[in-house]
Amino acid sequence: MDLQSRKISFVQEFLSIESEEFISRLENFLKKEKKVNSNKEFSPMTMEEFQNRINQSMEDSKNGRVISSKDLLKEIKEWN
């Protein structure tokens, strides 16, 4: 069975659950797994990558490719 079929089967089983406690346990499990998986995907950058980021940021600043925090906050408020 491929992944898509397994997902559909899982959702069908999930929809038939009547126990609120069981649903809560599944929700908690998913939250924990998401947190664990997101931590696994994180890896620190190398010193070379760090230096490249700094250099790129300095270039962006020199060439006016920046936005002030005040302007950024205004833009964020417009998202809603």
Side-chain angles (χ1 to χ4, degrees):
M1 184 182 295
D2 69 336
L3 183 58
Q4 193 65 23
S5 298
R6 289 174 59 199
K7 287 179 180 180
I8 291 170
S9 177
F10 178 81
V11 169
Q12 288 172 337
E13 287 292 323
F14 179 80
L15 291 173
S16 70
I17 297 171
E18 297 294 329
S19 168
E20 191 168 328
E21 179 187 346
F22 188 54
I23 299 268
S24 292
R25 288 180 16 218
L26 285 172
E27 287 173 331
N28 290 333
F29 174 76
L30 284 173
K31 286 176 189 174
K32 287 178 188 175
E33 284 299 306
K34 278 180 138 180
K35 191 178 286 187
V36 167
N37 286 330
S38 70
N39 289 339
K40 286 181 184 175
E41 293 173 10
F42 175 76
S43 61
M45 66 179 82
T46 65
M47 284 303 291
E48 183 179 353
E49 291 170 324
F50 183 61
Q51 287 296 327
N52 288 339
R53 287 252 181 123
I54 291 171
N55 292 337
Q56 183 63 53
S57 296
M58 296 301 286
E59 279 295 311
D60 288 343
S61 179
K62 286 179 193 174
N63 294 309
R65 294 185 299 253
V66 295
I67 185 169
S68 71
S69 59
K70 185 177 179 181
D71 290 340
L72 180 60
L73 289 172
K74 283 182 189 176
E75 187 176 320
I76 290 170
K77 286 180 182 178
E78 293 173 6
W79 293 352
N80 296 328

